[in-house]
Amino acid sequence: MLKNLIIFLIVLQSLSAVSQSFWEIENEHNDEILLTIDLNASNGTFEAYTRKNALKDIAGTFTYTLAKTAGKLRHAEIVFIDGKASRKGDSLTLIGTFNYFDKQYPFSASISGNSFKGRYTDTKNKSHGLIGIKVPDNKPLKNYPSIINSAFSVAEKYLCYASWLKSSEWLDFKEKISELKPKIADDYELAASFFWLSKKLPFSPFTISKFNSTENLKRAKNKASVRELTAQAALLEPNTLPSTKSEMDSLASVIDKRGYSKLIIDLRGNYRNNPFVAKELVNYISSKKLDVGVYLTRKWFDANHRPPGLQECQKVFENFSGANYTNGDLSKGTGENLKIIPRSKTFKGKVYVLTDSKTSKVFEALVYTLKNESIATIVGQKTAGALLLSEKFIINNEYELVLPVADYFTCDGRSLEKIGVEPDVKLSGEDALKYILKSF
């Protein structure tokens, strides 16, 4: 009897040494995670984690087990943090490792009352802040089933091709997401579910995320500029291409003033998908007025079983205005034409365009025209064969859905999707730029 009592007291003591609390944590992008913190006061350690077995649920037991056996995953949770805990007065300090999928980062946090403040440091030594508040339980932070249902409704209305919605890949995806949605506890799990399970879809992207108010501010930091390589040659780089007519005016003025006779446009890694940005650039380097092609939406494909011919491209569709696209209005019509309308003063020298496997979307369509019309020499690697244009749709007051709404066709009815454009000169890496410079 005494022995049983001692065992009971030991177990009771060990249980009382472990305390559990729940926290709603927000990162720098306004994404929220539901974090459970288990504190072991007896040995000064802690574990913090998002929903138990979430990764296993998303990937499936077999795939998860393979990944864990191969050492790619350590935990079945999307976020798992462990380390040492120390208390000073009313404050608790946590020092440990932040595990996110297969990545590990140094982590630290302080907890005071119902307030959480922490950070983890990535491999580039950049610190990412985390702030949060204590919550009473580990119930899902949002009504994720409602969010997902809204996303499906938008997709069924605006997704570029209705046939995609009948594919086995889409039906499997929708079934798996529907099974998961009652379990999804936070934003990280929502994003991970869509990211992982959408990989087999016949289209991309298909993502749900919080509004990112910092995205436009980050882009605004990259100002249009031209880099001089030689007295004859100027280089336009991917992150400094002109994004407005006034920026193109300024660059054209600089190029003309300096008297460059060679212009190199680097589109490697470029997946920017604003047609207005691409058009302004090509309007400067082409002396030919051309109908490049047309981006067609669900409304066109629901009413027609073929792409339009040249005359339809010219008469039926308006030229991309820029404003319509950036406002997310492309999907509301049948499509828009992509035309080259030369500026009053165009570049008269030799033009080279650098491409690689990430050159995509509208820039890829224009590379096709630049090559076929001998407006520029294309040097590098075959382009991506990914010309679908995507738009963002507001699905409630916090979340947005991104999905492809338009496919590109040349005015002679050709599709370049999953085909791409072969360069005139096939070279990789820096050999491409070296080749151009040697040709002067």
Side-chain angles (χ1 to χ4, degrees):
M1 191 76 174
L2 180 60
K3 182 178 179 181
N4 289 339
L5 179 62
I6 293 172
I7 293 173
F8 173 76
L9 291 173
I10 292 173
V11 171
L12 185 65
Q13 183 180 17
S14 65
L15 288 174
S16 65
V18 179
S19 61
Q20 187 176 75
S21 56
F22 309 104
W23 299 82
E24 182 178 331
I25 308 295
E26 185 175 296
N27 69 11
E28 60 201 302
H29 302 297
N30 302 323
D31 299 313
E32 293 172 296
I33 60 174
L34 177 59
L35 202 63
T36 298
I37 299 179
D38 292 340
L39 181 65
N40 192 326
S42 63
N43 61 9
T45 62
F46 77 95
E47 288 184 351
Y49 45 87
T50 52
R51 187 176 72 82
K52 283 288 187 181
N53 294 315
L55 274 182
K56 186 184 292 186
D57 288 343
I58 294 170
T61 302
F62 179 73
T63 302
Y64 168 77
T65 303
L66 283 180
K68 187 173 178 63
T69 302
K72 294 181 179 180
L73 293 174
R74 295 186 179 183
H75 303 281
E77 293 71 46
I78 293 173
V79 172
F80 187 94
I81 313 168
D82 58 354
K84 294 292 184 180
S86 60
R87 189 177 292 280
K88 186 176 182 180
D90 294 332
S91 296
L92 179 67
T93 299
L94 307 177
I95 304 292
T97 302
F98 186 101
N99 295 270
Y100 181 59
F101 289 94
D102 60 340
K103 298 178 176 61
Q104 293 83 42
Y105 307 114
F107 166 86
S108 63
S110 62
I111 295 176
S112 180
N114 293 328
S115 177
F116 176 103
K117 188 174 183 180
R119 65 185 59 252
Y120 67 90
T121 306
D122 65 23
T123 53
K124 296 181 180 179
N125 205 33
K126 182 179 178 181
S127 182
H128 301 269
L130 301 166
I131 58 173
I133 57 171
K134 193 173 185 179
V135 291
D137 52 46
N138 62 347
K139 291 180 180 179
L141 297 179
K142 309 287 181 182
N143 186 349
Y144 293 107
S146 175
I147 294 168
I148 290 169
N149 290 341
S150 296
F152 284 148
S153 295
V154 170
E156 287 162 3
K157 183 176 181 180
Y158 291 108
L159 195 61
C160 187
Y161 292 106
S163 60
W164 286 340
L165 300 171
K166 299 176 183 178
S167 68
S168 60
E169 294 88 354
W170 169 261
L171 296 175
D172 287 345
F173 170 81
K174 191 173 180 180
E175 181 182 357
K176 290 176 182 176
I177 288 290
S178 295
E179 289 174 0
L180 282 172
K181 66 185 179 183
K183 302 178 181 179
I184 293 175
D186 57 31
D187 294 342
Y188 275 34
E189 189 176 348
L190 176 69
S193 298
F194 272 69
F195 173 77
W196 189 287
L197 296 175
S198 68
K199 288 181 178 181
K200 293 183 180 180
L201 289 175
F203 57 86
S204 67
F206 191 66
T207 59
I208 296 178
S209 61
K210 282 283 189 69
F211 301 145
N212 190 348
S213 59
T214 62
E215 183 178 357
N216 291 332
L217 293 174
K218 289 179 180 178
R219 288 183 178 178
K221 293 178 181 179
N222 295 323
K223 294 184 178 180
S225 62
V226 59
R227 181 157 71 94
E228 184 173 295
L229 298 179
T230 71
Q232 292 179 299
L235 173 67
L236 296 180
E237 298 175 292
N239 293 328
T240 57
L241 294 176
S243 57
T244 64
K245 186 177 184 302
S246 60
E247 286 185 352
M248 188 66 250
D249 290 340
S250 297
L251 282 189
S253 177
V254 170
I255 292 168
D256 182 57
K257 185 177 180 180
R258 296 180 182 175
Y260 298 122
S261 59
K262 309 288 189 303
L263 183 61
I264 304 168
I265 304 170
D266 191 350
L267 299 182
R268 293 174 298 184
N270 201 311
Y271 52 87
R272 295 171 70 181
N273 58 352
N274 189 330
F276 187 71
V277 174
K279 280 198 323 175
E280 282 299 307
L281 182 60
V282 178
N283 289 347
Y284 172 60
I285 63 175
S286 174
S287 59
K288 302 177 183 180
K289 185 176 181 179
L290 296 167
D291 285 276
V292 174
V294 62
Y295 268 99
L296 303 173
T297 69
R298 173 75 167 275
K299 287 189 175 182
W300 171 270
F301 293 119
D302 281 349
N304 301 274
H305 300 292
R306 58 167 180 78
L310 178 58
Q311 290 188 344
E312 287 176 298
C313 284
Q314 294 171 335
K315 295 179 180 179
V316 175
F317 302 96
E318 294 183 1
N319 194 15
F320 268 113
S321 65
N324 285 346
Y325 178 75
T326 54
N327 288 340
D329 290 340
L330 174 60
S331 57
K332 295 177 182 178
T334 56
E336 293 196 30
N337 198 357
L338 190 60
K339 296 183 178 180
I340 295 177
I341 302 175
R343 297 162 59 93
S344 57
K345 191 173 183 179
T346 59
F347 182 71
K348 303 301 182 184
K350 178 73 174 176
V351 179
Y352 299 87
V353 175
L354 294 168
T355 61
D356 66 6
S357 61
K358 294 183 179 179
T359 305
S360 59
K361 298 184 170 54
V362 177
F363 280 100
E364 191 170 6
L366 292 172
V367 167
Y368 173 82
T369 301
L370 294 176
K371 177 184 177 181
N372 280 13
E373 297 293 333
S374 300
I375 297 169
T377 300
I378 314 302
V379 182
Q381 296 290 300
K382 183 180 177 180
T383 59
L387 291 94
L388 296 173
L389 284 188
S390 302
E391 283 187 345
K392 295 179 180 180
F393 294 86
I394 307 303
I395 53 177
N396 69 10
N397 61 353
E398 289 185 274
Y399 297 84
E400 62 188 11
L401 171 71
V402 180
L403 75 160
V405 299
D407 195 3
Y408 173 79
F409 287 83
T410 65
C411 284
D412 58 2
R414 289 193 61 190
S415 171
L416 302 177
E417 186 67 19
K418 301 190 184 302
I419 296 174
V421 182
E422 292 284 356
D424 295 305
V425 181
K426 193 167 186 176
L427 292 167
S428 60
E430 291 308 306
D431 289 340
L433 183 56
K434 290 177 181 178
Y435 168 85
I436 296 173
L437 293 175
K438 286 179 180 179
S439 67
F440 294 170

